[in-house]
Amino acid sequence: MKVAGVLYQINWKQFKKGHSFFIPCLHCPSATEEIKRVTNRLKYKVISKCVIENSIRGVRVWRI
């Protein structure tokens, strides 16, 4: 998955319900759209939110 020009390798098979991951980025809406595109293809239900963690802005994604 490529977000803001950076290629991220997410192990989708290990992304179980209740787990989450964080992707640092400056423009959250474009990152969220890319995440939605991939998760819709895999038929995963997720919630994503633009957050600041350890002074780094990004998107946190939870599988529900």
Side-chain angles (χ1 to χ4, degrees):
M1 175 173 64
K2 195 170 192 177
V3 176
V6 179
L7 185 61
Y8 290 94
Q9 297 292 326
I10 307 293
N11 188 342
W12 294 107
K13 289 182 180 181
Q14 289 186 353
F15 189 43
K16 306 291 183 192
K17 291 182 180 180
H19 290 187
S20 70
F21 61 88
F22 178 77
I23 296 181
C25 64
L26 295 175
H27 192 254
C28 293
S30 63
T32 302
E33 286 301 316
E34 179 61 21
I35 292 164
K36 282 183 185 178
R37 186 184 67 76
V38 173
T39 56
N40 284 341
R41 179 177 54 84
L42 296 170
K43 298 180 181 171
Y44 287 174
K45 292 183 180 181
V46 298
I47 294 175
S48 59
K49 187 174 182 181
C50 187
V51 296
I52 297 174
E53 294 186 7
N54 299 323
S55 301
I56 300 172
R57 182 178 174 166
V59 177
R60 170 68 61 184
V61 181
W62 294 270
R63 184 166 177 200
I64 55 170

